[in-house]
Amino acid sequence: MEESIIYTKALRKQYGDVVALTGLDLAIPPNLVYGLLGPNGAGKSTTVRILSTLTRPSGGQAVVGGFDVAREPGEVRKVIGLAGQDATLDDKLTARENLRIFGRLSRLGSRRARRRAEELLERFGLAHAGNRLAGTYSGGMRRRLDLIASLLRAPAVLFLDEPTTGLDVRSRMEIWDTVRELVADGTTVLLTSQYLEEVDQLASAVGVIDHGQLIAEGSPAQLKSRIGSHIDVVVESTDHLLNAMAVLERLTGHRPEVDGSHIAVAAVDPVPSLPQIVRELDASGAVIRDVGIREPSLDDVFLSLTGKTVDPAKPVEAPAAVA
Ligand SMILES: Nc1ncnc2c1ncn2[C@@H]1O[C@H](COP(=O)(O)OP(=O)(O)O)[C@@H](O)[C@H]1O
Ligand SMILES: [Mg+2]
């Protein structure tokens, strides 16, 4: 626990009859991105809200930067920043005006707050748009502005609650670059996400959470190798099916599934490389129209860990295109 910058033990949270966290144990070392991965309703936001002192735990313990969230919330607040899905920006103010308000809340002193705000606007590519109303910002720009607000006081621990949900690909990548820079500067980031791809890109450690409990933990590579990938092959005509199937079965040790001229097969540890697959298919004489390796999705993670897919009543949002 000494070396953990975020530590929870048997952490519980109940909202009336709803048990959101059923006994969460986390021990997160400093100076990395920890990804908390889980479907809608898993308890990710509740965890972040407790760790950032926005709500009190119903039981158990949570310590951030050496301070207990229930007994020393003021101390916790001094070392953390919080940004996420529900941006708290005023649309009728410009970016700079919004930051001035956050600066006042952070008690930095207006001079220092302004200097820091300018630095961050520059660094995250918003200096040119600093005098525009926040209401005119794109989704990606809003998230970056929200992030800047949370960074005015250079926090040791930054909580990012689904920072890219609903963003288009380019905005997501901008946020990812930003997160990487922060960690290079020594910040510890706890990031929640519904996307395996996102934690794979950013996190060096991942906890998978379901129904308020940690159900798996490890590096993204460990998680993925446990779950495996899928190889998809489309043959030119059904004449080539048998050859291609034999190759795929030999390479993966798994029995391929066929649908028309499409073959799919699971590949777990080792996953053959794409060039190797193409070479062997060629050598077999099978003529291929398309071949690809599909990385596991969050759904694959859940199927593998819980034997069920992500609750269909609470679908994982597809990333919507936001201009
Ligand atoms: N303020 C609240 N009042 C009642 N129930 C809540 C409240 N916040 C969250 N919950 C419930 O707690 C569970 C976990 O929610 P949440 O932490 O928001 O999950 P996630 O962020 O992983 O989607 C869900 O069942 C949710 O409906
Ligand atoms: Mg949430």
Side-chain angles (χ1 to χ4, degrees):
M1 141 169 202
E2 282 76 33
E3 63 279 9
S4 305
I5 193 157
I6 298 171
Y7 172 85
T8 72
K9 186 78 199 157
L11 192 63
R12 279 177 48 81
K13 179 69 183 182
Q14 204 157 338
Y15 299 103
D17 291 341
V18 179
V19 183
L21 294 181
T22 55
L24 185 68
D25 297 333
L26 293 173
I28 302 176
N31 211 336
L32 49 69
V33 179
Y34 185 90
L36 199 57
L37 181 71
N40 242 333
K44 303 181 297 297
S45 294
T46 300
T47 305
V48 167
R49 289 174 56 79
I50 291 174
L51 293 174
S52 52
T53 75
L54 295 179
T55 189
R56 291 174 73 88
S58 313
Q61 196 193 11
V63 179
V64 177
F67 302 108
D68 187 288
V69 295
R71 283 187 284 111
E72 306 157 289
E75 298 302 314
V76 171
R77 276 177 219 136
K78 285 184 193 157
V79 299
I80 65 164
L82 169 64
Q85 218 179 333
D86 306 306
T88 44
L89 302 169
D90 188 333
D91 283 347
K92 298 196 179 64
L93 298 179
T94 68
R96 287 197 168 90
E97 287 165 347
N98 266 291
L99 291 176
R100 207 164 304 145
I101 291 175
F102 278 100
R104 223 171 286 151
L105 293 175
S106 73
R107 301 210 180 93
L108 261 185
S110 62
R111 252 266 207 56
R112 274 182 66 202
R114 193 169 327 146
R115 195 164 352 112
R116 174 93 175 138
E118 286 308 316
E119 244 173 62
L120 291 165
L121 283 167
E122 190 66 49
R123 178 160 159 201
F124 298 141
L126 290 180
H128 68 286
N131 293 333
R132 268 172 56 188
L133 296 183
T136 68
Y137 271 28
S138 70
M141 291 167 83
R142 290 179 71 84
R143 297 286 170 85
R144 272 183 287 156
L145 182 57
D146 185 41
L147 204 52
I148 289 172
S150 70
L151 293 173
L152 283 176
R153 231 182 21 197
V157 180
L158 178 66
F159 297 105
L160 296 178
D161 193 12
E162 298 196 29
T164 67
T165 294
L167 293 187
D168 61 279
V169 177
R170 206 178 109 220
S171 305
R172 273 184 177 201
M173 289 204 216
E174 285 168 359
I175 299 280
W176 290 355
D177 283 343
T178 305
V179 172
R180 289 189 188 104
E181 282 185 35
L182 291 172
V183 176
D185 283 355
T187 307
T188 303
V189 178
L190 187 146
L191 167 104
T192 77
S193 184
Q194 301 188 33
Y195 309 124
L196 185 63
E197 187 204 354
E198 180 154 283
V199 298
D200 186 27
Q201 285 285 331
L202 293 178
S204 37
V206 183
V208 183
I209 179 174
D210 186 29
H211 296 298
Q213 238 168 357
L214 210 59
I215 58 171
E217 200 176 39
S219 71
Q222 284 168 338
L223 213 59
K224 286 200 307 183
S225 75
R226 208 165 131 182
I227 293 144
S229 304
H230 281 88
I231 300 170
D232 287 301
V233 171
V234 181
V235 289
E236 188 57 44
S237 76
T238 47
D239 300 339
H240 301 284
L241 275 177
L242 286 178
N243 281 354
M245 284 170 70
V247 168
L248 292 173
E249 182 156 0
R250 179 161 47 77
L251 286 177
T252 64
H254 287 92
R255 180 155 233 119
E257 281 170 30
V258 179
D259 181 7
S261 57
H262 174 212
I263 311 170
V265 65
V268 187
D269 210 15
V271 180
S273 72
L274 203 52
Q276 186 189 3
I277 298 166
V278 171
R279 223 168 27 239
E280 305 248 350
L281 285 169
D282 261 353
S284 78
V287 181
I288 301 307
R289 209 184 309 150
D290 194 8
V291 54
I293 299 178
R294 186 166 59 77
E295 298 252 297
S297 64
L298 180 64
D299 220 34
D300 297 327
V301 174
F302 272 76
L303 193 58
S304 156
L305 294 173
T306 66
K308 54 189 189 345
T309 54
V310 169
D311 193 341
K314 295 173 179 170
V316 174
E317 278 174 60
V322 176

